[in-house]
Amino acid sequence: VVASVMFLCFAASRAHGAYTALAVTEAAITGLFLLLYLLKLDRRMSWLFWPLADIFNSVIAALFLLIVCLFAVIIKTNNGTLAGGVFGLVLLVLCVVDAVLLFQKISLDGPRGRNTPAK
């Protein structure tokens, strides 16, 4: 939702294409991960450890958001660009929190099942 609001702010302000492209890309990737988990496709495609891929996505998105949104806030060509940059920084914090929570939840040396008994 935050990525969509960020996209709307950048699109309404006619901001630089990189701002809009980052917002669309992040909203699309987040939507695809949400669809993957809702349809339980992560269980069918067990050849990839999906929580680790989600962590990798969150970290890379946080890096891109940090760079692009700081430029948007610093340059601030108009109020729409400033608002989009602020929403992007909020999304940056959410990406970092997502990566930390997922990293704490997974165990790389244990079994992959969801209902595994505790050791």
Side-chain angles (χ1 to χ4, degrees):
V1 172
V2 178
S4 300
V5 172
M6 183 176 73
F7 165 70
L8 289 175
C9 290
F10 284 144
S13 68
R14 298 183 186 264
H16 193 269
Y19 302 147
T20 311
L22 177 67
V24 168
T25 304
E26 186 54 35
I29 290 173
T30 303
L32 289 174
F33 269 107
L34 181 66
L35 191 64
L36 175 91
Y37 290 129
L38 282 177
L39 297 177
K40 299 185 188 316
L41 294 175
D42 57 333
R43 292 181 184 170
R44 287 186 178 182
M45 296 186 286
S46 60
W47 47 269
L48 184 62
F49 191 44
W50 289 103
L52 194 59
D54 199 0
I55 290 172
F56 182 70
N57 171 51
S58 294
V59 169
I60 296 299
L63 291 173
F64 280 128
L65 285 166
L66 178 67
I67 294 167
V68 171
C69 292
L70 279 180
F71 276 124
V73 169
I74 291 170
I75 294 172
K76 140 177 129 169
T77 53
N78 56 30
N79 289 337
T81 306
L82 178 64
V86 170
F87 279 112
L89 292 174
V90 170
L91 185 60
L92 164 76
V93 171
L94 291 175
C95 285
V96 169
V97 168
D98 179 48
V100 168
L101 289 177
L102 277 172
F103 187 74
Q104 289 176 348
K105 191 174 182 178
I106 66 172
S107 64
L108 297 176
D109 58 348
R112 288 193 186 180
R114 290 183 185 242
N115 296 327
T116 57
K119 292 182 180 180

